[in-house]
């Protein structure tokens, strides 16, 4: 048989399989419409269509899920448990189809029903169970673990309300609840039989038995049940389907019965509601601790249920022999939010399994690894000892014991240094003593990592310097990454197809392959296709903006995007200062710049963060004035898009030309939005902060716009004594801009509205906006100049994509696995049952 005959036969078989698949997809969707939902094609709504399609996808997932779990079981594989209070999953339908390799088949079938996948997708709610980068990173990691065939499990909370919906009313942010479960969630499987009790409050009764052994019993505690809900995590075209287990709070059965016995039905019902409030809502703060009792209870609730579940799974194989526990179990702590797990595992091993302290401690420290995500002091978790001891009395005892043994070690290692004990203690002394969760996490883990090269250096050189000197080999870097499946294949199909036409499709699983795009930057017809894809994405976003904000923008203009949580350190304000100063330039001469510009903002502010909310109001107010000023001839438009989240990011990023990554050097641990933009062909304007530095290394300095002070210069300036007023007094355009803000130019009805912003800059400027202002403005003029030469810009866009290989979360996860978890990947074969 000749080669081409072979090919023909293969194609024919492929087509038969595909048509069989299409038939069974169609049958199943119909079945769900008519049987599960009791509808027909006349009465079916969009939501019914979505639900039926999702339930059909779920059948494919479930089959693979069972196979995967069975394979892990049969191999007694080592597992990695990723504990996170946040998983920012976004929507599941399109992503599942892409990963299952069934997108085209479903697309065809759905059209036969008179709709499209895009239309159905619009019905899905985002699973917004996170705030920002930290939660989205967890979601990308799950995708990579599954794609790499690693036995990875996510564990978190099934919040009934995720991150709030943001509306912009009269220029202000208004928060409304996110009822993402209102129409049910076809992606989750509730497991009412999987229930664990979790205790709070009460006291510890200590006793010594006849053999002289010491025992602790947690008495009079109130109990909440944790009920599991499972969500499938499909790998990319490899049949692996991993599990994300989210816990919901339920009141106990005894509780339910007690109202019969005591007759106080109303009280019992209201107590039940209070108990179940535990998993009601996600705290909407990013990079900011709040110190609320309910939050500490959430942290312990999910940690305790998770560890009970992990131990149950381990004991199925090894019964009471815990010696293999660290060989079979790796636990990664996503920030300190789940750090109480260290004390909880000690408690379960000592009080529950009757192991000795030393045995338990050896197991604990070999099992846990901790990722730090921030150096901002206001984000580092500290719990008052009083509150901690009230809620978790046994854990407080255990932490004191861990601390006392640890400080003995410190004293031995640094005998002549008495200050160091105070600095390193897990307990911060003072009037209101605090448990410093990062210290607990470091002491109880065998690995501590930062999330970019710079951030990991800062951890070693300053934030955790003493700990680094004590245990240098514990500390390591794992530069963040993003999944190319969601952040290119699914969100930018046109660019994804163009890349595949040029270099084949291996890049989806091996992102370094994108380097092969480099020579195509010299191919004019390729450049044209690249430009066309970007322009069409921009047209689509322009239509969205017109619908959402009523603002008409020019798709040919430079799309300049800053989309991320609102935080002073991220310096959205610096971007606004630039917009205003550009407006002033254009007011004098609309022809003064070389490229028309559209500045796009998106981002939520924590509901209690007043300055961040005022910055949103300033952005929308400046937009109002500037967008409606005929003098500037439409050369500048500003758009603030409401309710930024995963789904909106998927619309904006493929359409952007310029990615704003302008945090004060040394403040943004990594950033991951920066990577998503580069992967979709936007050029970065940024500081030497977080992963920007590594993007610069990968794409080359000609293909990125770097400005401002580096982190060493920031430190120097701060140490020397920084005076923002000096800059205000010496830079005319800055002075004019600040004066316009403070004098009410953008708030004519409320002249003093933005005074607090101007004053905080003039008198404090904690994030050194004034120091970086000139350099930023100058660099923006350079951006316009380069954007005006389409061909050069497009080449640079290609070089950015070609240089994005390092930023796949597959690479990140491979590093975690090689250095920290050490799991074997488990291939999943489908075949016969
Ligand atoms: C960091 O601020 C961000 O720089 C990092 C943080 O990229 C991300 C993931 O590592 O984690 N509370 C936080 S920490 N929110 C984030 O986005």
């Amino acid at each position: 048989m000749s080669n081409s005959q072979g090919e023909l036969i293969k194609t024919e078989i492929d087509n038969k399989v595909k048509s069989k698949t299409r038939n069974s997809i169609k049958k199943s969707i119909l079945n769900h419409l008519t049987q599960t939902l009791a509808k027909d094609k006349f009465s079916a709504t969009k939501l019914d269509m979505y639900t039926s399609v999702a339930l059909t996808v779920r059948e494919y997932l479930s089959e693979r899920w069972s196979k995967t779990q069975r394979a892990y079981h049969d191999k007694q594989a080592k597992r990695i448990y990723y504990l996170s209070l946040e998983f920012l999953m976004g929507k599941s339908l399109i992503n599942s189809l892409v990963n299952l390799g069934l997108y085209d088949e479903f697309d065809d079938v759905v059209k036969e029903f008179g709709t499209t996948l895009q239309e159905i997708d619009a019905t899905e709610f985002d699973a917004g169970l996170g705030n920002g980068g930290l939660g989205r990173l967890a979601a990308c990691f799950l995708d990579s673990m599954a794609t790499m065939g690693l036995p990875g499990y996510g564990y978190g909370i099934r919040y009934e309300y995720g991150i709030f919906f943001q509306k912009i009313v009269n220029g202000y942010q208004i928060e409304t609840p996110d009822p993402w479960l209102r129409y049910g969630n076809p992606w989750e499987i509730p497991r009412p039989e999987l229930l664990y009790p979790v205790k709070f409050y009460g006291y510890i009764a200590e006793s010594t038995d006849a053999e002289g052994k010491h025992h602790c019993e947690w008495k009079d505690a109130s109990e909440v049940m944790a009920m599991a809900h499972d969500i499938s995590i499909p790998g990319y075209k490899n049949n692996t389907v991993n599990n994300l287990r989210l816990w919901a709070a339920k009141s106990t059965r005894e509780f339910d019965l007690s109202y019969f016995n005591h007759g106080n039905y109303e009280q019992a019902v209201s107590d039940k509601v209070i108990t179940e409030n535990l998993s009601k809502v996600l705290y909407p703060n990013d990079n900011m601790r709040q110190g609320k009792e309910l939050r500490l209870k959430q942290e312990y609730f999910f940690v305790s249920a998770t560890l009970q579940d992990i131990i149950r799974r381990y004991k199925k194989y090894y019964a009471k022999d815990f010696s293999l526990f660290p060989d079979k179990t790796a636990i990664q702590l996503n920030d300190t939010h789940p750090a109480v797990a260290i004390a909880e595992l000690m408690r379960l091993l000592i009080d529950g399994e009757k192991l000795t302290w030393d045995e338990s401690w050896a197991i604990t420290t070999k099992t846990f690894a901790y990722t730090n995500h921030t150096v901002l002091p206001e984000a580092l978790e500290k719990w008052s000892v009083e509150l901690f001891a009230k809620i978790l009395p046994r854990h407080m005892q255990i932490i004191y014991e861990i601390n006392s043994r640890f400080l003995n070690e410190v004293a031995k290692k640094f005998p002549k240094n008495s200050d160091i004990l105070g600095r390193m203690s897990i307990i911060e002394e003072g009037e209101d003593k605090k448990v410093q969760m990062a210290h607990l996490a470091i002491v109880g883990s065998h690995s501590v990592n930062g999330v970019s090269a710079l951030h990991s250096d800062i951890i070693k050189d300053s934030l955790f310097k003493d700990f680094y000197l004590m245990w240098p080999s514990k500390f390591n870097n794992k530069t963040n990454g993003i999944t190319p499946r969601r952040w290119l294949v699914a969100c930018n199909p046109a660019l994804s197809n163009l890349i595949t036409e040029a270099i084949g499709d291996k890049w989806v699983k091996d992102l370094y392959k994108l380097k092969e795009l480099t020579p195509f930057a010299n191919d004019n017809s390729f450049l044209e296709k690249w430009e066309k894809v970007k322009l069409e994405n921009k047209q689509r976003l322009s239509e969205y903006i017109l619908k959402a904000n009523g603002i008409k923008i020019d798709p040919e203009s430079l799309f300049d995007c800053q989309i991320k949580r609102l935080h002073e350190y991220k310096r959205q304000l610096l971007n606004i200062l630039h917009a205003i100063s550009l407006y002033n330039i254009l007011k004098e001469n609309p022809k003064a710049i070389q490229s028309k510009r559209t500045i796009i903002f998106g981002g939520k502010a924590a509901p209690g963060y007043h300055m961040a909310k005022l910055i949103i109001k300033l952005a929308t107010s400046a937009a109002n004035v500037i967008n409606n000023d005929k003098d500037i001839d439409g050369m500048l438009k500003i758009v603030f898009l409401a309710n930024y989240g995963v789904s909106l990011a998927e619309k904006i990023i493929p359409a952007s030309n310029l990615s704003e990554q302008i945090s004060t050097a040394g403040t943004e641990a990594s950033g991951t939005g920066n990577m998503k933009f580069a992967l979709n062909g936007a050029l970065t304007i940024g500081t030497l902060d977080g992963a920007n530095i590594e993007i610069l290394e990968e794409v080359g300095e000609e293909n990125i716009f770097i400005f401002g002070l580096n982190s060493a210069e920031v430190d120097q300036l701060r140490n020397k004594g920084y005076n923002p007023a000096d800059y205000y007094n010496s830079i005319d355009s800055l002075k004019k801009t600040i004066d316009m803000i403070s004098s009410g130019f953008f708030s004519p009805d409320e002249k003093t509205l933005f005074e607090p912003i101007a004053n905080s800059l003039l008198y404090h400027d904690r994030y050194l906006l004034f120091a970086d202002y000139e350099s930023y403005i100058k660099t923006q003029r350079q951006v316009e100049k380069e954007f005006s030469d389409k061909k050069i810009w497009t080449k640079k866009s290609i070089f950015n994509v070609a240089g994005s290989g390092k930023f796949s979360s597959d690479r990140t996860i491979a590093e975690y696995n090689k250095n920290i978890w050490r799991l074997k990947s488990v291939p999943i074969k489908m075949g016969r049952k």
Side-chain angles (χ1 to χ4, degrees), residues 311-331:
I311 290 177
R312 172 196 57 86
R313 190 174 293 123
Y314 176 84
K315 284 172 111 177
K316 277 202 294 202
Y317 309 105
Y318 307 105
K320 295 209 63 93
D321 174 9
F322 277 85
S323 62
L324 285 175
F325 193 78
D327 297 328
K328 294 291 168 189
T329 317
I331 303 180

Side-chain angles (χ1 to χ4, degrees), residues 398-439:
I398 290 171
I399 289 171
Y400 267 119
E401 182 64 26
I402 293 173
N403 197 37
S404 121
R405 289 168 185 247
F406 163 61
L407 290 179
N408 279 338
E409 252 187 89
V410 176
K412 261 192 235 148
K413 175 107 184 176
F414 305 106
K416 290 188 200 74
N417 190 341
S418 56
D419 292 351
I420 207 167
L421 293 176
R423 288 203 306 267
M424 294 180 82
S425 175
I426 297 171
I427 307 296
E428 182 186 83
E429 296 296 332
E431 231 170 83
D432 184 16
K433 285 194 205 165
K434 300 263 167 66
V435 186
Q436 310 200 70
M437 299 307 275
H439 294 199

